[in-house]
């Protein structure tokens, strides 16, 4: 071995070394990463919607000793508590040993992902095919949702309150559904259109059947046959779609990607990858110093509105109830707690895609396999609509990561003026919480099949756990 030159030594000391994390992973560590990610992929395969996420997360939490806040009369340090908001949004907390007045450590992700929802009057028949009309949810490239297998998840609630759960297309023996696309032979006009207009939102109609009901006297025989099947199976009539929430998601299974199996392909990794890593992080900790909070928000993909979205007051109500049950609540205490709180807004980052590298600033891009991706700010144009994290708080978070050997990077969402985006960060920041975006890099974000790196997923779990234990 030749000795390092002065310049080489200096460079090692002064540069922010950016490298592929796998280079420093031992065989033993690699096995740990792969095992952890197997758990993530299994979770993703049984949790494709926000309702399924919340249900499965609640079950995992209960197995770890968490109890619904209504089950506690008083809370004490070490107690594990949660609240489910309308089956779509979940808050979990472990009470810290230090006074909660000093603030809590929050990690917040979102459980909803881009998808297709059924319209309120979905069912119709056209030329002896039956269809469900859909309305897309979140930012999608519509052409990506045609000609792929789709599964149907959700609930139909009858006027007597009975809730029918629907889950068709995940089991190998289930049928699936699809939205057809035009054959290339006759697509001359379609191919001339702008990509965004190639498939119109109003044409995202789901093919659901083709056998006519056997009665020569009735019209709309195929529609009738479908309703007959649904009535026998679920006891519903057409009117019951009024009070239903049915989501169409890709029927693909989440799987390892690549000869080296280093990557993960799956639907809804935005933001279920941060859901799983922050959830397993909070479930792994006992008796933290600062009260640890994990929140799974809904409706992030459509602007965080509504009573299950982050803009609602339900999270504050949960924290107030925690203060009540600690027997310390008093006027304005919640405001004080929030102002002293720290948060990682756990949302995915746009991973650098070499095929589309022209939209990225390579010096400020989030690279897969380089660990957790932080974003000081998001927004569009001149950082508009962004919560720009404070340098002091970034130093605090860096220190946690660096002293716990968590591999991380900091990035921007694309080149200046190329576009932009946002997360739930600003909502908590408005309440006085110190927040920074911190998540996993993703390729093909918002597509039916998204790609992450197992190395990064594990770094997220490590980083989130360290944040809770700080
Ligand atoms: Mn997201
Ligand atoms: Mn998103």
């Amino acid at each position: 071995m030749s000795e390092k030159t002065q310049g080489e030594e200096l460079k090692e000391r002064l540069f922010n070394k950016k490298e592929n994390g796998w280079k420093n992973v031992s065989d033993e560590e690699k096995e740990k990463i792969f095992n952890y990610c197997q758990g993530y992929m299994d979770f993703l395969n049984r949790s494709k919607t926000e309702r399924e996420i919340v249900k499965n997360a609640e079950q995992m939490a209960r197995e770890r000793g968490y109890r619904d806040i209504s089950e506690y009369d008083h809370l004490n340090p070490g107690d594990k508590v949660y609240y489910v908001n309308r089956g779509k949004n979940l808050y979990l907390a472990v009470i810290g040993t230090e006074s909660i007045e000093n603030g809590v450590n929050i990690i917040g992700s979102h459980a909803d992902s881009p998808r297709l929802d059924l319209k309120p009057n979905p069912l119709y028949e056209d030329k002896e095919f039956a269809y469900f009309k859909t309305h897309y949810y979140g930012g999608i490239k519509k052409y990506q949702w045609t000609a792929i297998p789709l599964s149907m998840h959700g609930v139909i609630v009858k006027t007597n309150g009975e809730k029918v759960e629907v889950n068709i297309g995940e089991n190998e023996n289930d049928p699936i559904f699809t939205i057809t696309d035009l054959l290339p032979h006759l697509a001359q006009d379609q191919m001339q259109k702008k990509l965004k207009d190639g498939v119109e939102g109003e044409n995202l109609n789901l093919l659901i059947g083709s056998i006519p009901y056997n009665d020569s006297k009735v019209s709309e025989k195929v529609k009738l046959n479908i309703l007959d099947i649904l009535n026998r199976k679920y006891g519903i009539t057409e009117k019951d779609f009024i009070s239903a929430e049915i989501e169409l998601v890709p029927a693909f299974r989440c799987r390892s990607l690549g000869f080296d199996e280093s990557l993960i392909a799956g639907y809804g990794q935005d933001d279920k990858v941060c859901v799983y890593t922050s959830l397993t992080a909070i479930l792994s900790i006992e008796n933290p110093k600062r009260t640890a909070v994990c929140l799974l928000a809904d409706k992030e993909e459509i602007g965080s509105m509504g009573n299950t979205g982050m803009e609602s007051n339900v999270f504050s109500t949960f924290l107030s109830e925690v203060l009540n049950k600690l027997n310390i609540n008093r006027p304005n205490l919640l405001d004080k707690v929030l102002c002293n709180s720290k948060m990682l807004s756990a949302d995915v980052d746009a991973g650098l895609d070499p095929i589309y590298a022209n939209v990225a600033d390579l010096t400020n891009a989030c690279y897969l396999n380089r660990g957790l991706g932080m974003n000081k700010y998001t927004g569009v144009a001149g950082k508009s609509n962004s919560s720009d994290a404070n340098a002091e708080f970034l130093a605090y978070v860096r220190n946690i990561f660096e002293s716990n050997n968590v591999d991380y990077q900091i990035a921007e969402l694309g080149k200046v003026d190329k576009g932009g985006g946002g997360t739930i960060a600003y909502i908590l920041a408005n309440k006085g919480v110190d927040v920074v975006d911190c998540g996993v890099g993703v390729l093909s974000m918002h597509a039916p099949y998204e790609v992450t790196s197992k190395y990064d997923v594990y770094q997220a779990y490590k980083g989130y756990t360290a944040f809770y234990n700080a």
Side-chain angles (χ1 to χ4, degrees), residues 110 114 270 300-301 347 445-446:
H110 65 92
D270 175 7
E300 193 276 342
E301 296 293 356
D347 207 343
M445 195 193 291
H446 285 203

Side-chain angles (χ1 to χ4, degrees), residues 29 73 134 214 223-225 233 298 366 372 411 423 426 466:
E29 180 83 348
D73 293 326
T134 72
N214 192 9
K223 173 176 168 176
L224 180 61
N225 193 49
K233 185 164 181 183
D298 181 31
C366 174
L372 256 170
T423 64
Y426 75 94

Side-chain angles (χ1 to χ4, degrees), residues 248-263:
L248 300 164
V249 297
F252 316 135
R253 292 183 69 71
C254 179
R255 320 175 79 145
S256 291
L257 188 161
F259 289 113
D260 57 10
E261 303 187 30
S262 60
L263 303 164

